Amino acid sequence: MNTDISPEQTIVLAKIRHIEELERLDTCIQFVESIGQIIHQVQAERGASCLYLASAGKRFAPERADIISHNQATEADFRQALQQHLHLDLLTDARQLTLISWILLGLDQLVALRHQVTLQKISFTDCMESYSRLISSLIALIFEISDSSVNSKISTCLLTLYNLVQTKEFAGQERAVGSYIYGSGSVQQAHQQRLLELIDQQDRHIELFCQFGNQELRTAWDKLQATAPYRQHQQLRARLTTAKDHQPLKPSDADIWFDLCTQKQTSIWQLQCVLIQKMHDMLEVLTHKARHDLEYTQEYLQAISAKATPASTLDGTFFNLSIPVESALSFQAHDSAQAYPMASMISLLQQQSRQIADMESELSDTRKALSERKQIERAKGLLMSKLGIDEMEAYKTMRNLAMEQKRKIIDVAENILTQQKLPS
């Protein structure tokens, strides 16, 4: 059996692997789309459940039942999409698989949670936290997929999507808390404080969304803020955040608040759909270009082979000493003063190396942002464990430290992690 393998074969293989990577990315985006859909539906169920509990089961029961019925179908679609993703994407790592196991456990226990809500055997706070835990796990999966992408443009889009989904999630929690406050008929200071924290988190993630998103997405967000329902929502929000403790409210405003928040959620959801479609379109273009590049490379190699010099000649090959090593192996452009021809294997390798270098350079900024987020999350988790506080409180502690010390929050996070490593 002939086991010889040539440079021509491996160059072509590199092009084929690039195409396969783009196709794999498209299956990832399809799965991310499915994750976004189930998040959207669970958020709606959480809002309805909180309003149901706030009214002591007197209101929103039929609407909640309809949402749950729809969500059962969405769960089935998600599980099917997950199976397809795991079948097609063999690069799913242990970290992602562990997180997926956690999510599946949460979905399995949704039936029991729903039963507890129906019987009003669970408090508003526990209900909200239970749903939010499942949603945060799903959002974390989007982040892990973002971190595994090797295409800079798609990775940046996924990071933009992650921050938009986080914005929508904190807006969803705001809907639930506000619905409960209005539905209960009076302001409770603890819930009001929670509302303020959720608003702050939305502002933080929408700032990052605008930072990583393109001008089209930023313009769409500006247009959303200019709509009448959004302004009306802001007015009701101000009423909640400025009210005094135990100040009476109109329970009927709960429906208005819920509807306005839902309109905001829907608008953000539409932005998500635009972003998802943008990634599909981008991958279609990239895949088309990659296939064209493969065809060009195959034709180029055939042309070189037809003009091949005798094996005893070193011109245009690896041992052509007129080619500086740093030029042959790095990403420098061809110098016309050099003695070697452009129509050679070396020039093809240089072109491919430059493409890889460009992709890695573009990816570095996104990877830096992903790495910083991981550091902040780790530091946040450390504070939660050490101080016995929740996620919001941990982030607020880090943010206050950053403001006091006039440092970036990532610097504070790194300092917390460093201090943990030091011997006591």
Side-chain angles (χ1 to χ4, degrees), residues 110-180:
L110 256 184
V111 174
L113 175 61
R114 288 164 176 159
H115 189 59
Q116 290 290 304
V117 173
T118 300
L119 298 177
Q120 300 174 58
K121 297 293 186 182
I122 187 171
S123 69
F124 159 76
T125 301
D126 288 349
C127 171
M128 182 170 163
E129 291 301 326
S130 297
Y131 277 107
S132 298
R133 175 173 290 196
L134 174 58
I135 293 168
S136 66
S137 300
L138 287 161
I139 294 174
L141 185 55
I142 294 177
F143 180 83
E144 290 301 325
I145 292 173
S146 304
D147 197 25
S148 66
S149 172
V150 295
N151 181 279
S152 60
K153 292 181 174 62
I154 296 299
S155 187
T156 300
C157 283
L158 283 169
L159 192 55
T160 305
L161 178 70
Y162 164 77
N163 282 291
L164 183 62
V165 173
Q166 281 284 33
T167 301
K168 182 169 174 284
E169 165 54 9
F170 290 121
Q173 290 187 35
E174 180 190 5
R175 174 175 63 182
V177 174
S179 296
Y180 182 83

Side-chain angles (χ1 to χ4, degrees), residues 361-420:
S361 176
E362 291 174 359
L363 196 56
S364 63
D365 289 342
T366 307
R367 281 180 172 160
K368 180 182 177 184
L370 290 165
S371 176
E372 287 183 358
R373 189 263 178 180
K374 283 185 176 181
Q375 294 288 81
I376 291 170
E377 289 301 308
R378 285 177 57 205
K380 201 162 60 174
L382 192 60
L383 287 179
M384 290 166 66
S385 175
K386 190 174 181 180
L387 304 178
I389 56 179
D390 63 19
E391 184 179 0
M392 287 283 194
E393 201 61 37
Y395 179 77
K396 194 160 66 173
T397 300
M398 291 169 59
R399 185 190 60 188
N400 291 341
L401 280 171
M403 292 173 64
E404 289 169 9
Q405 299 171 8
K406 296 182 179 179
R407 302 167 70 192
K408 293 181 179 179
I409 196 164
I410 179 60
D411 297 330
V412 172
E414 288 175 348
N415 185 58
I416 291 170
L417 294 172
T418 301
Q419 290 296 321
Q420 174 67 13

Side-chain angles (χ1 to χ4, degrees), residues 33 92 101 131 141 157 169 193 206 227 260 291 293 342:
E33 189 172 3
T92 305
S101 300
Y131 277 107
L141 185 55
C157 283
E169 165 54 9
Q193 182 58 38
I206 204 62
T227 60
L260 289 170
R291 292 187 186 282
D293 187 37
M342 276 302 288

Side-chain angles (χ1 to χ4, degrees), residues 77-107:
D77 291 342
F78 171 77
R79 290 176 188 270
Q80 185 176 355
L82 172 60
Q83 286 183 331
Q84 184 178 14
H85 172 70
L86 295 177
H87 175 70
L88 295 176
D89 187 2
L90 301 179
L91 299 179
T92 305
D93 59 22
R95 185 180 178 88
Q96 281 190 43
L97 289 171
T98 303
L99 184 54
I100 287 168
S101 300
W102 179 255
I103 290 166
L104 291 174
L105 182 63
L107 289 174

Side-chain angles (χ1 to χ4, degrees), residues 178 180-188 236 239-240 243-244 246-253:
Y180 182 83
I181 296 173
Y182 274 120
S184 63
S186 67
V187 175
Q188 301 89 44
L236 284 180
R239 190 183 302 171
L240 287 178
K244 295 180 180 179
H246 299 299
Q247 179 176 322
L249 297 168
K250 290 168 56 180
S252 59
D253 282 346

